[in-house]
Amino acid sequence: MTQKVNLDHAHMRHLLKAMIRIRRFEAKCVELYQARKILGFLYLYDGEEAVSVGVMEALSPDAIVATYREHGQALAFLECQTYRFSAHSMFDPQLYRSKEEVEAWRKKGPIVRFQTCLGASRLIKPEEVSAMETEVDAEIAAAVAFAEAGVLEAVSEVERFVTMEEVPA
Amino acid sequence: VNAPQGSALRMTYREACKQALRQALLADPHVFLMGEDIGRYGGCYAVTKGLLEEFGEERIRDTPLSESAFVGAGIGAAMAGMRPIVEIMTVNFSLVALDQIVNNAATIPYMSGGQFAIPLVIRMATGGGRRVAAQHSHSFEGWYAHIPGLRILTPATIEDARFMLIGALQDPNPVLIFEHVMLYNMEGDLRPEVNEVDIGLAKVRRAGRDVSLVTYGGSLFKTLQAADMLATEGIDAEVVDLRVLRPLDTKAIFESVSRTRRCVIVDEGWRSGSISAEIGMRIAEEIFFELDAPLRRVCGREVPMPYAPHLEDACLPQAEIIAATARELVRPS
């Protein structure tokens, strides 16, 4: 990535906000997992947000359909050397690395670096970042409220989509 | 983890599995373990925790994330005279190694005209109930029971978890051991006088006269619970634990059903083309005229396992439905 990339203000804000959204969404997931509202496995992505945001930006308007074995990874033809702050799963006691190592990498995380870089170049003001965080938190709170207000799917619906009636439009 | 002599020893199913592995490693230098995260991490269900420290990296081998590669390596090692015990995290992931298990492990003895044996043991977790959805929750042990050349073990009790492995290692053929995920935390007593079990016979876990409930693995305890419910209504159910899905102990099944004259087969796997279908058909072929009622089954609902707890529970055999199915056979409404 030696080529100079020119980013306008709106685009930079968009990228930063997308990364902040992922980070804060995942923090909320941890909270809900600990409250046993999310069950089973939970795999986090923190520290690697730049990959998904960057890849989706490049692919747009294409989409990626992912399942659990793609977590923390991007496409096969890209090698993205990343560092994930969280454990592999909520069951992982992280016997393979020290807390100091994780802390050292946190300082080099994609959000803090991008934010610092934009700030140093005066491309973004601190109050813009706080506004972004507030907006993202509101989005997430709305999503949680929506989920909490949802009704459980009826058991009679459990066979829906085992086979499809037609190819979706 | 040395077993004291003389008194009943209380332990979890997980601990029983671990002690079995430890005994095998101590008894035979040809035994070694391979699998994902079995060493430093201690196994995804913590069965192998502490074994790396005790036996070292040569014998407790962490593998890359490639089931096909490490099952293949296990087959090669078994052919060359070792006694590998391979752990696959869950039965769903074993499908990645299906080519090695079915096309190699199960066929090489036959295709080599008996020149090679494959004394390989593969352990894997199976079954639903842990809210881990459609890629970690299925029961494919009945599928594997379709394959000639394999022995399929489904230990449900602490005793079987503790001792079936010894028998499996003595078998010159590939043996697949299925450990139901909901059993790992179950506690029970090991009788001090028992230090081996057979790996060929079904066992009657509860004797009864009115109906045979035939099951295995994680469904055993739901079925015993159903039998208790039926007992309160004056229905005396017998519970048969298959223990081995291939080769099936049909003698034990026929003996039980010939006495009770009624049979309900309980299997968490999907109904179509299942081990329950096989059992039902063998009963129909061999002892049809002993029956006083149609054969019945309680199986897993034919859907990829849903994630939501209320849906997952609705898709698995439960004591209430097992009891209701048996009740209808004994006392038709």
Side-chain angles (χ1 to χ4, degrees):
Chain A
M1 288 292 190
T2 48
Q3 199 186 331
K4 180 102 175 137
V5 183
N6 285 313
L7 300 168
D8 65 34
H9 180 251
H11 191 58
M12 279 181 294
R13 274 186 44 104
H14 164 73
L15 295 177
L16 182 61
K17 190 173 178 182
M19 288 199 285
I20 291 174
R21 183 185 291 112
I22 294 173
R23 179 74 57 93
R24 295 198 161 218
F25 171 76
E26 290 203 334
K28 180 55 80 177
C29 288
V30 171
E31 206 181 301
L32 295 172
Y33 190 85
Q34 282 158 349
R36 298 201 45 79
K37 291 194 171 176
I38 296 176
L39 301 173
F41 297 135
L42 177 62
Y43 300 104
L44 302 175
Y45 192 67
D46 56 345
E48 300 175 305
E49 295 88 349
V51 177
S52 58
V53 171
V55 166
M56 289 314 296
E57 209 55 37
L59 279 181
S60 184
D62 285 348
I64 292 182
V65 177
T67 173
Y68 82 95
R69 270 205 167 180
E70 287 77 56
H71 50 72
Q73 287 160 39
L75 301 174
F77 56 82
L78 286 180
E79 185 188 6
C80 303
Q81 299 199 342
T82 60
Y83 193 93
R84 180 171 52 176
F85 306 140
S86 294
H88 173 65
S89 78
M90 302 302 280
F91 299 109
D92 175 7
Q94 305 188 67
L95 302 175
Y96 44 82
R97 63 182 184 183
S98 65
K99 286 200 167 68
E100 295 72 40
E101 181 188 306
V102 178
E103 279 317 305
W105 278 95
R106 269 190 196 284
K107 297 189 180 104
K108 299 190 270 185
I111 294 179
V112 66
R113 280 173 72 182
F114 192 43
Q115 209 172 295
T116 310
C117 158
L118 294 182
S121 320
R122 300 201 185 151
L123 290 166
I124 202 160
K125 295 181 199 127
E127 55 268 31
E128 277 184 280
V129 176
S130 350
M132 238 180 245
E133 288 169 349
T134 310
E135 282 164 35
V136 164
D137 285 347
E139 268 180 69
I140 294 167
V144 172
F146 175 80
E148 299 270 19
V151 282
L152 291 178
E153 192 178 355
V155 173
S156 59
E157 296 272 286
V158 78
E159 284 177 21
R160 202 172 160 217
F161 304 129
V162 174
T163 52
M164 298 287 281
E165 299 295 323
E166 57 188 15
V167 177
Chain B
V1 289
N2 287 321
Q5 300 296 306
S7 58
L9 190 62
R10 195 155 184 81
M11 68 175 69
T12 59
Y13 183 98
R14 171 185 292 107
E15 181 64 22
C17 293
K18 184 200 287 187
Q19 288 206 20
L21 293 168
R22 192 169 169 268
Q23 180 187 1
L25 286 157
L26 287 169
D28 183 353
H30 295 95
V31 170
F32 69 98
L33 272 48
M34 268 195 297
E36 293 160 355
D37 282 338
I38 65 162
R40 290 182 67 184
Y41 183 70
C44 63
Y45 287 100
V47 170
T48 52
K49 212 165 189 61
L51 295 182
L52 174 66
E53 291 73 13
E54 185 174 1
F55 294 98
E57 286 183 354
E58 282 279 302
R59 301 188 69 196
I60 311 295
R61 306 177 77 99
D62 276 320
T63 66
L65 203 77
S66 175
E67 286 79 4
S68 188
F70 65 78
V71 170
I75 294 169
M79 288 170 74
M82 299 297 283
R83 289 291 183 277
I85 303 174
V86 170
E87 174 178 304
I88 299 177
M89 285 182 164
T90 121
V91 64
N92 286 77
F93 302 168
S94 79
L95 303 186
V96 180
L98 211 48
D99 177 49
Q100 289 294 347
I101 298 170
V102 179
N103 286 331
N104 286 331
T107 61
I108 286 173
Y110 189 80
M111 293 180 79
S112 70
Q115 294 182 80
F116 287 106
I118 316 282
L120 166 71
V121 174
I122 306 176
R123 299 171 41 245
M124 56 186 111
T126 188
R130 284 182 53 89
R131 323 310 187 199
V132 290
Q135 291 168 329
H136 302 78
S137 303
H138 292 135
S139 292
F140 290 126
E141 52 277 3
W143 251 26
Y144 281 107
H146 179 67
I147 314 296
L150 303 180
R151 180 184 293 274
I152 307 301
L153 304 180
T154 54
T157 63
I158 302 290
E159 197 169 275
D160 280 348
R162 176 65 183 82
F163 295 114
M164 272 186 158
L165 181 71
I166 303 169
L169 284 166
Q170 285 161 358
D171 193 317
N173 299 295
V175 179
L176 274 53
I177 303 180
F178 292 88
E179 299 161 6
H180 196 284
V181 289
M182 298 307 279
L183 297 180
Y184 283 120
N185 291 330
M186 177 186 74
E187 282 198 359
D189 288 323
L190 272 186
R191 292 173 293 163
E193 68 275 16
V194 176
N195 52 28
E196 60 178 352
V197 295
D198 71 274
I199 54 162
L201 303 174
K203 276 203 173 78
V204 173
R205 298 292 185 192
R206 183 190 203 283
R209 289 164 302 155
D210 297 332
V211 56
S212 297
L213 310 177
V214 177
T215 188
Y216 69 90
S219 297
L220 174 63
F221 300 94
K222 294 175 182 174
T223 306
L224 285 167
Q225 200 189 331
D228 286 344
M229 294 162 71
L230 291 164
T232 65
E233 308 162 22
I235 296 173
D236 190 19
E238 177 150 304
V239 176
V240 179
D241 174 8
L242 292 168
R243 298 177 69 245
V244 187
L245 302 191
R246 186 182 187 97
L248 268 177
D249 182 7
T250 45
K251 190 163 166 269
I253 300 167
F254 296 164
E255 196 281 321
S256 174
V257 177
S258 299
R259 265 189 299 104
T260 64
R261 300 182 177 271
R262 296 173 182 87
C263 181
V264 177
I265 305 151
V266 183
D267 175 16
E268 206 178 298
W270 293 312
R271 179 183 302 252
S272 301
S274 65
I275 192 74
S276 65
E278 180 60 30
I279 294 164
M281 191 61 202
R282 294 217 194 174
I283 292 170
E285 284 175 327
E286 301 293 331
I287 56 164
F288 182 76
F289 294 106
E290 304 295 324
L291 293 173
D292 279 352
L295 296 164
R296 289 278 184 257
R297 286 185 277 172
V298 180
C299 294
R301 192 107 173 223
E302 298 210 6
V303 297
M305 193 65 78
Y307 167 69
H310 71 294
L311 295 179
E312 183 173 37
D313 291 344
C315 289
L316 293 168
Q318 304 295 351
E320 292 74 17
I321 179 79
I322 299 167
T325 307
R327 187 183 301 122
E328 182 62 24
L329 277 192
V330 179
R331 293 182 188 148
S333 48

